[in-house]
Amino acid sequence: MYLTAIRKLMPQRRRLLMAAMRVTKLIAIIVLGSGLQASAGVYSQNITFSGRDVSLEKVFSVINKQSGYLVFCDYSIIKDARKVSIHVKDASVQDVLTECLKDQSLEYEIVDKTIVIERKKETAETAAPVPPPIDIKGRVTNEKGEAVPGATVSVKGSSKVVATNDNGEFELHGVDQNATLEISSIGYEKQQVKLNGQTSLNVQLKVEAASMGELVVTALGITKEERKLTYAVTTVGGDQLSKARESNVALSLAGQVAGLTVHGANGGPGSSARILLRGMPSMNSGGSPLFIINGIPMDNTQRGASGEWGGSDNGDGISNINPDDIETMTVLKGQAASALYGTRASNGVIIITTKSAKKGQAQIEYNVNALWDRAMNNTDFQYEYGQGLEGAKPVTTTGAQNSNRFAWGSKMDGSQTIQYNGQNYAYSPFKDNIKNFYRTGPSLTNTVSIGGGGDWGNMRLSASSLDNSSIVRNSGIDRKNVDLNGTLKITSRLSSTVFVDYIDEQDRNRPQLSDGPGDPNNFQFLAPNVDERIFAPGQDAKGNEIVFSDDNYVTNPWFVVHNWINSTGRSRLITAVAPKFNFTDWLYVMARVGYDREADRIFQVTPTGTNYSFNNAGQSGQFNGLTNQTTSELNLDGIIGASHNLTKDLHLDATAGTNFRTNQYEYTQINGSQFIIPFLYTPTNVLTFGRNYSYYKKQVHSAFYSMDFSWKDMLYLSTTGRYDAYSTLAAGNRGIFVPSVSGGFNFSRFVQSTPINYGKLRAAFAQTSGEPTGGPNGTNSGAYTDAVYYGVGNAFNGTAVGTLNGASGSVENNMPVVPNLYLKPFTLTEVEVGAELKLFNSRLGIDADYFTRKTRHEIMSATLSEATGYNSTYVATGSTQNQGVEVQLTGNPVKTRTFSWNVSFNFTHVANKILHTDNANNNLTEGAYRPLNANTAFIPGMSGPQIIAYDYTYDSKNNIVVDGSGLPIRGSKLVPFGGVLPTTYGGLRNDFTFGNVNFGFLIDYNYGNKILSATSYYTIYRGLNKMTLNGRDGITTGVTASGAANTVTATAQDYYQRIASISRNSVLSGDYIKLRQVTLGYNFTQKQLGNIPVFESINVSLVGRNLWIISKKSPNIDPESNFATSVKYAGIEGTSLPSTRTYGINATFKFKK
Amino acid sequence: MNKKILLYISLASLVVAGGCTKNFNAINTDPTQASAAQYNANLLLSSQQIEYFNGTMGYSGALLMQSMWVQVLASAEFPSYYSNGDKYVASGNLTTYDASLWLHCYNSASYAYECQSLAKTAGLSNLSGVSMIMELLDIMNVTDTYGDCPFSQALQGKNSVNLPVYDSQQDIYTSMLSKLDSVLPTLDASKPLPTNDIFPYKGSVTGWQKFGYSLMLRMAMRLTKVDPATAQKYAEKAYAGGTFGSTADDAWVTFDHNDGYNNNNTSAWQTAEDFSEVKWGQNVIAYLKANNDPRLSVIAEVPKPGSDSAAMENQMGDTVYSHQIGMPNGYDQNGGATDISKAPGYPGGTGSGKTAYPTGKYSRMAIGEYINLNTPAFAINYAETELLLAEAAVRGWNVGPSASVHYANGLTAALQSYATLSSYGTIPPATISAYVLAHPLDVSSTTNSLNQINMQYWITTGTLLDFNEAWTNWRRSGVPALTPVNYAGNFTQGTIPRRQEYPTSEASTNPANYQAAVSKLSGGDQYTGRVWWDK
């Protein structure tokens, strides 16, 4: 008790202590050893002592002797104390005491030169000695010593919070001198500083990765500080791609980046993506940006797609990449950003940086992601009238079979009605075909990564496995990725990065789309009373297809899912090695070897029993092909770079280099028809054989430079230039030089009294070039376009048969392409102005751009009338213009210690205009939809591609003219009905964090585009569309050619089938707003996992993708529906997979070292 | 020091690496194909011939349209792609079928054009001449089917003529006839002969000359309605030049399924359902039966009962003469007013329940004669040529022997021709001569003669499956008199189509010239419009 009394008095220090000592004397058993020596002699501050199993009494005595400290203690409390073994040399008194009281129920207190020993108390009872509060003044700066205004300074464990002023200064009053301060500012890493009594602080904040002040990877792998950039870029972190993931990682960029649109094909997992930056950059370049992975170009070729005549989407290059390996994706939108890539940069560049390990941070991580896809039913059919033709339901089996896909019957009355199989079923609505036919498609990704670093460099190795089942039975993909990324420091000057990504992807039965043969989606247009399950299993006992409708080229989907084979396999190796030698700290030379090689094996079989494949001997099936194709690209770069202060205020970063690129492609296919031994699917088991071979090689030699000047971190000027020479062009037209100049002005310091705390203006002019496309080998390589070539096809009864420019070996329908000797690379020129602002202490960020860009001399493949003897030609007359505005807003409306809310909103408006097409400025035909009565085209003066479709025929008073049967007459010309690419689009992202819980969602929107919908055509033609409810008893409409009112009544079927052929009725609006993504996550921190020995942290997220179409204007379809992702088929849909909703869970486990 | 050397090496290699484009010409030469200098122009002759047949057979149009427009065949199914032909009701893909002849015939003509240009360079005048004949055969097919079309500026895409004008059909015929007239005499057996010829001529100049004059005769006779004077002039020239002298001169090919070259008609009928639902037209069987024509036995058979065996192409049917019945056009099996069971004289179906086959008693193409993927096809044959000469003679033109002789020659040749398609179609010579003797040309009046001759032309071309020629000659001659179908929703207001609409692609690939051509058609680009010689 008395000790407690002493303790309470302690703050009053010495005077009171002396009093206490007096009190203590009454019972003091101490004072040990050779007596009190409190006032005498010179003592060391440190203790040196060694002893085994000595009593505390003895220890205290030593302390007293060596240090002169007095030890106060009730003997009763130390007499039972454990003996201690202690070996200390020059240890402080405190250390010695701590050591010997460790694991004893004793504690000590030092007051001046007096030590008080007592029994340990419950913490709660312990009234800590509270040091007097202090006042603090401080300044927050960045790494360059510049003030960070608006930074938040808070005292940990209290509610005290202040913000720094414009000079980065702050004051705090009455703070515990042992308190910890937390300093944070948007764009910087949060810092904690323990005061330890300091009253004046200088805090330096580090720029935070993945923030607005970040370092950005730009062209050629050069990192720049974002504030030095003179053009627009956006970086998306890998965590935003890998939680609610897509099997094609590119699709995860949708809605996240101003200026960028990404749309996939409805072709199942691993389908390709249409990625367009700033509108449609040009007519001829395919649209896809150039993908650069760790500094080297990677192939993003579409590996086969569906068209109006069917086919499957076999994925693209980017779909091979594992999202778990991606650290960031940086989108270089403008040409100034991408100009250094010259040739292929006209569509913009997306730079992928894969994850790497950091020095001193050994890390083992395991991620598991499990998702489930469900088909979405977007149809809104009529369910009043059932199967049948001309108002009557079927009465015979043949009639039933012929009308399974026609809803022109009578009103559904529930009566028993005959079906194709002779059985009767209720003639009543059946609405579950989509739900029943498509299964839930699970997908599971497991990724393990290990990484670490040291003086030797760093290395990260990851292995990943994806197993994604499609909603179509027996279809899906398996993908394995092994990714190695590291840096080796060989000497202090020589280092090398090493990157290897090995991909093995096996796709099971990619579904046929758009056309009827082999298409598993053929049940989408069943009459509204027909249950698709009556067509299962789709085959008879012999394995022959049971045809379910009037058309045997519309394969029974049950037969398809059980029998059709369309498997594509790929093994791919992307490697990059880049040794770099630093001559000095400001001059380096680098060599880079990048190699991307894809080897594909495609195995396609129309199986035995497929009805339309039978020959007259009863043999069936087709060996559609065993294809082996390899694509490779080799890039050799030599780069020399310098970074130097020219004067005190003027800094120069300069780079010069060369690039040598070789592309090579080789394709071999064997095929045949009718299997001799049924069900044995090998290339030799066929009656007839076919073979195809194709090859190309091309090279580009280039040289480039870039110079970036910065003056006082206020003015920035960059200029680049690149010269490319193409092997694909004729001598004399091979080379082209393209420049760029851009500048930036950081005006932050001039607006310090306004809410603007950061401001930059930027402007850029840049040009890029592109090479010719097309080519005789069907590869769009651009090679061999300057001459007519002559080939040989299959012999005809032993007589050799010639072909023109045809590598496919068929004379049929293989008209040549007119060669052109005068092609040159086309150019794209862009002017961009933009501003970047941060306001209200960086709580609000605005990044806005205006751009205008135009191509010249685009090399066009102009479709020709067959009457020219050729089917297409090349002309260098194309010109495309895009003008637009991009705005990216970021906000941080609420930010407290436990809750934060981040918003990011982006908006893009692009006006695309085709300025000129081929030499005669004709409309250039693009893709068609399967009904073939409308297509898309590039039309001068309009945005591209436009849907052109047939209209009605009108008389002078704008009445619809009908023929003698009372049916509207189709107009004679295809006329434009709107562009297929959106003009206004963007996304809204919200992220909330409450302590360990985070919640985020992404909404994206898309306006201004039209869809050419085969679904619309079929639903009108087949009587499924709600529109066809009107006039089921007959329709009398329009005027006759003479202008008199029509008196002839047409039946609903005749009328609507005519309406369908007037294809403007299949043009729908593509506008939508979608809830794209929702994530809800929880972080188990180290503290929570304290008792679990294995994990450092665990993050678990519930995720959902494509959950809800909030708004759309296109009946019966998802407005994003597409069977192919090329620009050619943009906005054209029909008979593809329903779009899917995805739900699932993602968990990341970080292991303890 | 070392550092500096390294720096200089680096800089130097940068400069060197970017500089060399010397091997670009070699890189940009396709190693998988031949240049003009390496190439043998003769290789393109077989290509022309194959593509011509691709344009005139099977789903490329004629089978789905002309065969039933001219009522040689019939199909009682709806919906079906045969509704384009049987009922003039558009199926989903009508536009594709419609464009197919144009595509293939111009493709064939393009091979011919390129072949001529290579042949001229190589001094192969016979190959050049033969290719021109093929080109004219192609263009004739196009203009007969669609009307005005590119000719004078056609096929010159390589010279940047990308928007060829549509010439009037009159100009095309004038030009084609004069080209034939000038090229045929230049064929010279003493000069290098064409190789890679898949017609039986195997490059023989004599064979090709006969083919060329027979083609000239066919062209001339097209003009009988609109320009009899020109028709007479060139028919006489053709006869004088030397048309086919026997069936040995016929131009035909045997297809080669194993190499991917099918008879496209048979290929279409590989589809079991097409095979079980496509029947001989009512009038064909009726006419043959009325004349006790021996051809009926080789072309027609009634399938075995039941839809299951009917679909099987290895189950030959019943060839009993009296059992053969042709099917009327314009019916379906949908149970309504146009159900085949309501057709006059409906013979009833076969099978029952699941194998019910309502059209089972109608005659189909005999499997033995037609259903082989290698079944030959004719380009032009002696039978047709003699029948045309018979008509020329009836008109009093100077084409050698009398109309009766030409007619008898034509009829004899016709009956012999089924053996060319298959040995199954061999009709004994005695039967042929007896039949021909019993059916001489009716010379009681010009009208009767023309009727009889053109009826034979219809039967012969139709049953030898040259449907385009049957339809074209019907348009020219009006024989036989056909009753149009008027099925609900047809695209001709219940009349038989008299031309094909232009391919829809023309509206976008050659718009101004297309529009100009359409503006000359009364009623626009419709199936009901008429080509120039069909006024």
Side-chain angles (χ1 to χ4, degrees), chain B residues 264-287:
Chain B
N264 286 340
N265 289 328
T266 321
S267 179
W269 292 324
Q270 293 295 301
T271 302
E273 278 179 57
D274 292 24
F275 184 63
S276 59
E277 290 303 336
V278 174
K279 305 289 188 172
W280 286 117
Q282 190 173 37
N283 296 333
V284 171
I285 303 297
Y287 184 80

Side-chain angles (χ1 to χ4, degrees), chain A residues 19-162:
Chain A
M21 276 159 43
R22 251 177 273 127
V23 175
T24 313
K25 232 195 285 185
L26 299 175
I27 25 164
I29 312 110
I30 309 205
V31 180
L32 303 148
S34 53
L36 296 167
Q37 300 181 0
S39 57
V42 176
Y43 296 101
S44 160
Q45 288 301 303
N46 293 327
I47 313 292
T48 300
F49 174 65
S50 189
R52 283 182 72 83
D53 290 325
V54 292
S55 67
L56 286 180
E57 227 181 323
K58 169 80 180 154
V59 177
F60 294 160
S61 165
V62 171
I63 290 173
N64 176 256
K65 273 184 190 153
Q66 294 190 13
S67 69
Y69 277 54
L70 288 174
V71 182
F72 274 80
C73 168
D74 184 335
Y75 186 73
S76 67
I77 68 170
I78 60 165
K79 70 177 202 271
D80 296 314
R82 262 194 305 116
K83 290 185 171 163
V84 296
S85 298
I86 189 162
H87 306 276
V88 290
K89 198 178 176 204
D90 278 336
S92 68
V93 172
Q94 285 91 335
D95 284 352
V96 177
L97 288 169
T98 305
E99 179 67 22
C100 58
L101 298 184
K102 177 175 75 178
D103 301 323
Q104 312 237 32
S105 59
L106 299 172
E107 58 187 7
Y108 70 95
E109 199 85 59
I110 299 174
V111 184
D112 282 352
K113 282 268 188 183
T114 305
I115 299 165
V116 179
I117 307 291
E118 62 170 323
R119 281 208 171 85
K120 248 182 202 165
K121 298 280 189 320
E122 291 301 316
T123 325
E125 294 173 26
T126 312
V130 181
I134 52 174
D135 296 340
I136 307 161
K137 278 191 176 177
R139 183 159 187 267
V140 180
T141 57
N142 63 16
E143 286 159 304
K144 302 217 150 170
E146 297 159 339
V148 177
T152 310
V153 183
S154 58
V155 181
K156 225 177 160 184
S158 91
S159 56
K160 281 204 168 91
V161 180
V162 293

Side-chain angles (χ1 to χ4, degrees), chain A residues 615-616 701 734 790 794 869, chain B residues 20 25 110 114 261 270 506:
Chain A
N615 67 8
N616 52 4
H701 294 179
R734 273 181 189 143
Y790 301 85
N794 283 4
Chain B
C20 178
N25 285 339
S110 179
E114 186 68 26
Y261 302 104
Q270 293 295 301
E506 284 296 293

Side-chain angles (χ1 to χ4, degrees), chain A residues 552 583 615-616 638 658 701 727 734 784 790-791 794 797 800 802 811 815 865 867-870 925 930 932 950, chain B residues 3 14 20 25 28 34 39 43 46-47 93 96 107 110-111 114 155 157 196 254 256 259 261 270-271 313 371 506:
Chain A
N552 69 332
F583 290 101
N615 67 8
N616 52 4
T658 60
H701 294 179
S727 74
R734 273 181 189 143
Y784 318 136
Y790 301 85
N794 283 4
N797 287 321
V811 288
M815 297 178 86
S865 162
T868 61
Y870 293 79
T925 302
R930 183 58 185 84
L932 303 174
Y950 289 106
Chain B
K3 258 191 270 167
L14 286 183
C20 178
N25 285 339
N28 202 37
Y39 204 62
L43 288 166
S46 44
S47 325
N93 298 330
T96 315
N107 192 16
S110 179
Y111 285 124
E114 186 68 26
L155 309 174
N196 296 70
T254 301
D256 180 6
D259 286 308
Y261 302 104
Q270 293 295 301
T271 302
E313 301 184 346
I371 307 302
E506 284 296 293

